[in-house]
Amino acid sequence: MLPSIMDVDVRGKRVLVRADLNVPVDEGVVTDATRINRFAAGMKPLLERGARLVILTHFGRPKVNEMNPAYSVDKLRPALAQALGTSVVFSDVCGEESAVILSKRLKDGEVLLCENLRYNPGETANDPAFAAALAQLGDVYVNDAFSCAHRSHASTEALARMLPAYAGPLLIEEMEALTSALEAPQQPAVAIVGGAKVSSKIAVLKNLVMKLDHVIIGGGMANTFLYADGAPMGRSLHEADQVETVQEIRKLADKAGCQIHLPEDVVIATEFAAGAENRVVGAHECTAGAMILDAGPRSLSNFQRVLTECRTILWNGPLGAFEIPPFDHATNQLARTAAAVTRQGRATSVAGGGDTVAALNGAAVTQDFTYVSTAGGAFLEWLEGKTLPGIAALQGAAKAA
């Protein structure tokens, strides 16, 4: 259990919050404020209770020691002010005396946004000296950026050991959702794991088959499993060097009693293009010049049946080449099934990963899922069963308190 900032009397305190406001921007204007709005919703109650908010965030990947204005977080201020419902002061540095002075001038309910953390090489190096400089900005520290919790950075790891440290509402919400889906799921529980490569999700698959009842595999990953069974691939994306890995994952699944579900039939085409001529064949019938680009109707029906029988659904990765119709069909339909059983109260559904969020948005069902994570790397490492440095730092602070 992580210590929550919502349980702290914050009146008159400088609350130093690590946020993730790394949002899409076009010509200096925020084009999708979803992440800012979600963050602000959790911070408003603290401001109403008299907190003096000091916000730290990164934005993009500026080169070390290059103060490229394209990566300045000042451009986020209008969207942040609108979401918070109050004006936001800006500091053009984050770990220097002028920023500390601005933080000490704040009154109850006021907000300070500090410049991009990654302008300073001490951030990604997890430099204790830089973390100590950041610590001068606050009286208490809050990590509200689960999406950055897998990084051992100064603002997520070292800083948590220098001030009274707490978890923010977004981070707690994410932790509770992921724990309910993976560590203590209602059973039966299923994971849908898609994407291009088995090699990029070996640890994820090994962890999931040990903890869940079913794993549905789609996309290029499914092709590799089919290839391991002797299925011809034609020109399909697959990894011929991962056959032993597939066999190892299957042995773990058999040992744990987890059933792996693969496509029984597939959609093939000779070109990857919108509206390309395509046909459905058996999973072992891909022709020499064709590519497997989606799961077929029999496969979809089987996957939908599994979802309707499960109480917990965990989703990471599409079933096919969802970016281009008609190869988005199986992903869209399975997403709608997951959304339907969630709406009916028959299952808890948790999804995450960039392609996954894009696929759910494409199927217009994002709002129907119990929880959708935008934390790409951190979400994957959580699925792998790894200890995230930012979370471990908060847990350590709680024990030391």
Side-chain angles (χ1 to χ4, degrees), residues 185-209:
Q186 288 186 296
Q187 294 177 310
V190 58
I192 300 146
V193 185
K197 296 181 177 181
V198 169
S199 58
S200 66
K201 293 186 179 178
I202 293 171
V204 169
L205 288 170
K206 287 181 176 179
N207 192 39
L208 293 180
V209 299

Side-chain angles (χ1 to χ4, degrees), residues 228-292:
D229 289 339
M233 285 290 107
R235 292 164 47 223
S236 307
L237 176 67
H238 69 288
E239 294 176 287
D241 61 344
Q242 293 296 319
V243 171
E244 287 187 12
T245 301
V246 167
Q247 292 169 345
E248 186 180 353
I249 291 167
R250 280 182 160 147
K251 286 179 182 176
L252 287 173
D254 288 343
K255 184 178 179 181
C258 175
Q259 187 173 355
I260 291 176
H261 301 267
L262 295 171
E264 303 169 19
D265 58 348
V266 293
V267 179
I268 62 171
T270 55
E271 60 175 336
F272 179 37
E277 185 177 339
N278 62 88
R279 60 194 178 99
V280 176
V281 299
H284 286 246
E285 297 172 4
C286 181
T287 52
M291 298 172 281
I292 298 173

